[in-house]
Amino acid sequence: MKNTISERIADFLKNYPPFNAMEAKQLEQLSVEVVIVHKETNTLVFSQNESPHAHFYVVNKGAVALSKAGSSQILDICDEGDVFGLRPLLANESYKLEAKAYEETILYAIPIKDFKPLALENKRIGNFLIESFASNTGNPYSIKHRGKLYGASSDSNQYSSDKILDLQPIKYSTDLITCKKGTKIKTIANKMTKHNVSSILVEKDNLPVGIITDKDIRKKVATGLFPITASAKKIMSSPIITYPKGLTLAQSQMAMMKSNISHLVLTEDGTTDTKSVGILSKHDIMVAVGNNPAVLMRAIKRATSAKRLRGIRHGIMNLLQGYLDQNIPLGLVSKIISELNDASTKQAIQIALTKMEEEPPVKFAWLSMGSQGRGEQLLNTDQDNAIIFEDVSEEQLESTRKYFLKLGERISKGLNTIGFEYCPADMMAFNPSWCHSLNEWKEVTSHWIHNPGPDEILLSSIFFDYNVTYGDKSLADELSISIFDQANHYPQFFTHLASGALQNPSPSGFFRDFLVEQDGAHKDFFDLKLRVLMPIIDAARVLILSHSIKSINNTAERYEKLAELEPNNKELYLACSYASKALLKFRTRQGLLHNDSGRYIALDKLNKEEKIKLKRTFKTVKEIQSLIEVRFQVKNMLR
């Protein structure tokens, strides 16, 4: 008599990798040995550091969350058809993560002793398991096991760790030497000598406000510019440039080159609003030799034309592809690529300035908006930018604007040559609507906030993610203060902004099927940006603005900050952070594959595994939309 249970197991497994690579007879034999496991919500499958099981697992129904023990941060969620618990098979080590049922779940436990011989015979199975192992643990370096799969010896070292040395965290000094603004220079010099350091941090209320280096003392004191009795305030470098802890070698190199500085101050969240945790100097960095981001950064800074920058852009895309192939965490990848994009934009601005007949009449700042402003522009998507310039008299206003409109036109043309397409809606700095003085921008943003119609909400959504790529940051800081002040005095604006965030259509229908475009050039395609990415991005924006948090524009980082600010919603916010990175990675892969923006997805080109991983984010989208609907009291009639 046939074993109907094993037949059902085989019928399920054959639809999912790696089992779809097996011969039918092999799968039937394996299915007889499979154990069915039922788990209630929040019950453990295995715990961190637990000895390896004799099985790995496939989710039949429900979902399993992977996380560090004691942490509410979910590193991955495995649902229908996903494989997890591979460490005993690949590394023969105790589990490095905790696996817990996210909801009521049925698992198929695959016996390793029966599966292992089949995997050794089939290269497709082996490659899939290696990639799944790296993905589910969130550790790209796990790919090193490719050379010693299932304990087999091999000399292969194609993915040795030195290939990605530049992406490893760099050590920095946590023994901070500090002083106050009023500390005398003589005292500072003696203190630096005593502790044998090349820099000292200037703090106010335990927050960093400046830095003094050996170079400052040589240039400003030894030359007689200031007496040794002067205070720290006279010679310190301020405002201070800060970065978050956990910088990699590549990020550190680019940060110093970008700002022409020799020391980086690291704070808890990368801003001057949190305490310092360390200082990184050039002496701490061993500049890597070879083709890495620092090499591209140097090439960008030497470029004298937009055409040359376009060639370097191809190198950046190759670097991006390489990082994705190595399964490097997207948060790290996006930071590196964004730094290179910002450097390219900055160089394009400097090239344009050299072609202007005159110097800028007043101080100005170039604002990158949209995805570049959020540090999420990995592909060659459209430009979104603006210029803000220093206030001038009414008589000088139009002549000043004329200068910056001409400059904006040259910069946008250069960016287009590099590979960034013109914005179809003309939201660019050469459009008079996007080139204003500081006071004019205050009036414009105040109008948006106090008259939040559909157009004003759309403009706010694009503009409020701005980031200063070039110029005087103080202009943008003053504008930010004005925006937060106006929004706090008119809280109804947040309701309208939240309403706008709920306008994007649901990603799935009643039966969890993908909702695709019904007509137009992209008929039957799935709009990844509109249906999934934008709801998560828009929700993060309104939530972070409601907390008056500035200087954090990246969507994933916004949710991580929100998780700190609202511990009761920490789990949801961290899930949103994870989902935003997963979706951006998916879009980037699709864009590189099809040489486009990755926005519109042909579902028939996706395999089952890709569809499942994409659907995994839909629940998170619905949950965050429900939160902002309740939080900001958005009525159904506004949707």
Side-chain angles (χ1 to χ4, degrees):
M1 187 174 74
K2 288 185 177 181
N3 186 334
T4 55
I5 294 179
S6 66
E7 287 180 347
R8 290 175 187 172
I9 293 173
D11 285 341
F12 175 84
L13 292 177
K14 71 182 181 182
N15 295 314
Y16 301 95
F19 308 100
N20 57 359
M22 288 185 178
E23 296 178 4
K25 188 175 181 180
Q26 290 177 322
L27 186 56
E28 289 171 7
Q29 293 173 347
L30 179 66
S31 297
V32 173
E33 307 299 328
V34 170
V35 177
I36 300 175
V37 180
H38 175 260
K39 290 288 180 181
E40 296 289 346
T41 304
N42 288 328
T43 58
L44 283 172
V45 180
F46 51 76
S47 59
Q48 188 173 326
N49 297 321
E50 183 178 338
S51 298
H53 294 186
H55 305 79
F56 67 91
Y57 301 93
V58 180
V59 180
N60 172 245
K61 292 181 180 177
V64 171
L66 301 178
S67 61
K68 290 284 187 181
S71 171
S72 61
Q73 181 175 1
I74 297 175
L75 299 177
D76 201 356
I77 295 181
C78 303
D79 54 18
E80 185 178 309
D82 280 343
V83 176
F84 70 98
L86 291 168
R87 187 168 292 276
L89 175 65
L90 298 177
N92 195 26
E93 298 171 346
S94 298
Y95 296 107
K96 301 299 183 185
L97 297 175
E98 176 183 274
K100 184 182 290 186
Y102 192 68
E103 56 192 58
E104 187 176 3
T105 301
I106 295 176
L107 304 172
Y108 289 158
I110 313 297
I112 291 173
K113 66 178 180 63
D114 296 297
F115 180 83
K116 187 173 180 178
L118 301 175
L120 286 169
E121 294 174 6
N122 192 315
K123 186 177 180 180
R124 281 183 60 195
I125 295 175
N127 285 339
F128 172 80
L129 291 176
I130 287 289
E131 292 165 3
S132 294
F133 180 53
S135 175
N136 285 338
T137 60
N139 177 11
Y141 305 109
S142 296
I143 209 162
K144 68 185 180 184
H145 292 287
R146 184 185 299 275
K148 45 184 179 180
L149 182 59
Y150 319 118
S153 61
S154 172
D155 293 330
S156 173
N157 197 25
Q158 181 181 358
Y159 294 93
S160 59
S161 60
D162 60 347
K163 296 290 186 182
I164 45 179
L165 178 64
D166 56 318
L167 295 182
Q168 295 180 10
I170 190 167
K171 293 181 180 180
Y172 54 86
S173 173
T174 57
D175 187 17
L176 297 175
I177 309 302
T178 64
C179 69
K180 304 297 182 184
K181 283 185 177 181
T183 305
K184 301 299 181 184
I185 296 173
K186 182 178 180 179
T187 304
I188 290 170
N190 288 333
K191 201 171 186 179
M192 291 170 65
T193 301
K194 178 182 177 182
H195 292 279
N196 193 28
V197 295
S198 60
S199 64
I200 189 167
L201 199 59
V202 185
E203 292 186 339
K204 180 181 180 181
D205 298 327
N206 293 321
L207 296 178
V209 294
I211 187 172
I212 297 172
T213 67
D214 284 339
K215 185 178 180 180
D216 292 317
I217 294 176
R218 290 196 308 270
K219 292 182 66 176
K220 300 175 184 178
V221 181
T223 58
L225 188 61
F226 292 98
I228 201 168
T229 54
S231 65
K233 183 179 179 181
K234 295 292 185 180
I235 66 168
M236 71 180 187
S237 296
S238 182
I240 200 167
I241 298 175
T242 57
Y243 283 84
K245 57 186 177 181
L247 280 183
T248 65
L249 174 61
Q251 287 176 291
S252 304
Q253 290 174 308
M254 290 190 295
M256 288 185 181
M257 294 172 64
K258 175 184 177 183
S259 302
N260 291 319
I261 56 178
S262 59
H263 293 74
L264 298 180
V265 177
L266 309 180
T267 65
E268 290 176 350
D269 68 359
T271 73
T272 54
D273 297 327
T274 54
K275 291 183 178 180
S276 305
V277 295
I279 287 184
L280 184 65
S281 72
K282 275 188 176 179
H283 295 290
D284 298 320
I285 298 176
M286 298 297 292
V287 180
V289 178
N291 185 21
N292 61 27
V295 173
L296 291 169
M297 181 68 85
R298 284 195 292 271
I300 289 169
K301 292 171 76 72
R302 289 196 300 264
T304 56
S305 69
K307 288 184 179 180
R308 175 60 185 143
L309 287 170
R310 184 181 184 88
I312 298 170
R313 179 71 185 166
H314 292 315
I316 296 173
M317 289 297 97
N318 290 335
L319 185 71
L320 173 60
Q321 182 70 68
Y323 284 162
L324 293 179
D325 290 343
Q326 293 181 71
N327 206 26
I328 304 300
L330 194 81
L332 178 56
V333 173
S334 63
K335 287 180 183 299
I336 292 173
I337 301 302
S338 293
E339 287 282 11
L340 292 169
N341 284 343
D342 285 350
S344 298
T345 301
K346 185 175 181 179
Q347 193 67 10
I349 293 170
Q350 290 176 332
I351 292 170
L353 282 168
T354 63
K355 296 180 179 179
M356 297 293 288
E357 292 75 14
E358 299 174 354
E359 294 289 320
V362 292
K363 295 177 181 178
F364 77 100
W366 179 270
L367 306 182
S368 296
M369 306 182 299
S371 59
Q372 187 177 359
R374 295 190 300 272
E376 297 165 2
Q377 188 180 41
L378 302 185
L379 300 169
N380 290 347
T381 51
D382 298 340
Q383 298 180 40
D384 289 304
N385 45 59
I387 283 178
I388 176 173
F389 55 86
E390 203 171 17
D391 290 325
V392 295
S393 66
E394 189 173 345
E395 293 78 15
Q396 297 174 309
L397 181 59
E398 289 313 312
S399 62
T400 304
R401 191 194 320 279
K402 184 178 179 181
Y403 176 92
F404 285 113
L405 286 172
K406 186 175 182 180
L407 176 62
E409 183 176 10
R410 287 187 171 172
I411 295 170
S412 288
K413 184 178 179 180
L415 292 174
N416 182 255
T417 300
I418 294 172
F420 299 103
E421 297 296 328
Y422 290 119
C423 173
D426 280 344
M427 293 181 183
M428 293 173 286
F430 62 78
N431 181 341
S433 297
W434 296 94
C435 181
H436 295 301
S437 68
L438 174 59
N439 275 335
E440 285 178 323
W441 271 122
K442 288 180 180 179
E443 292 173 2
V444 168
T445 53
S446 177
H447 173 78
W448 292 345
I449 291 170
H450 290 275
N451 301 274
D455 291 341
E456 287 76 14
I457 291 298
L458 174 61
L459 295 174
S460 299
S461 298
I462 296 170
F463 184 79
F464 287 176
D465 288 340
Y466 64 74
N467 182 49
V468 178
T469 304
Y470 184 94
D472 192 331
K473 188 174 181 295
S474 65
L475 294 170
D477 288 342
E478 189 172 340
L479 178 59
S480 294
I481 292 170
S482 172
I483 289 171
F484 285 125
D485 183 62
Q486 292 290 335
N488 288 330
H489 281 84
Y490 188 73
Q492 295 94 327
F493 172 69
F494 294 120
T495 300
H496 290 280
L497 199 60
S499 175
L502 297 172
Q503 295 300 316
N504 292 318
S506 171
S508 60
F510 184 76
F511 295 105
R512 294 186 68 201
D513 56 323
F514 289 82
L515 291 181
V516 297
E517 301 306 292
Q518 298 299 310
D519 50 37
H522 300 286
K523 186 177 185 296
D524 297 328
F525 281 73
F526 181 72
D527 190 339
L528 183 70
K529 176 182 176 181
L530 184 65
R531 293 187 183 272
V532 197
L533 267 171
M534 289 312 300
I536 288 182
I537 291 169
D538 291 343
R541 181 187 302 109
V542 65
L543 286 165
I544 207 75
L545 284 174
S546 70
H547 282 284
S548 295
I549 299 295
K550 61 179 185 297
S551 303
I552 300 180
N553 288 352
N554 180 267
T555 301
E557 292 176 3
R558 280 174 166 173
Y559 280 117
E560 289 163 9
K561 186 66 175 180
L562 288 165
E564 294 178 17
L565 297 170
E566 301 178 28
N568 56 316
N569 291 315
K570 182 176 181 179
E571 185 174 337
L572 172 57
Y573 290 147
L574 292 178
C576 287
S577 176
Y578 172 85
S580 69
K581 289 184 281 191
L583 289 165
L584 184 57
K585 185 173 186 177
F586 187 86
R587 179 179 180 178
T588 303
R589 284 190 182 278
Q590 292 294 313
L592 290 172
L593 181 64
H594 301 292
N595 195 31
D596 57 20
S597 70
R599 173 173 178 172
Y600 294 99
I601 308 298
L603 295 176
D604 59 343
K605 302 297 183 183
L606 301 183
N607 58 38
K608 186 70 174 179
E609 179 190 11
E610 290 172 324
K611 288 181 181 178
I612 289 171
K613 289 186 180 296
L614 187 54
K615 278 187 176 181
R616 180 182 298 168
T617 63
F618 291 1
K619 181 180 179 181
T620 304
V621 171
K622 292 179 180 179
E623 287 180 351
I624 195 63
Q625 287 192 321
S626 295
L627 183 146
I628 64 172
E629 182 175 8
V630 174
R631 169 77 56 86
F632 299 103
Q633 301 179 0
V634 181
K635 306 297 183 183
N636 287 331
M637 62 180 291
L638 294 177
R639 298 184 64 177

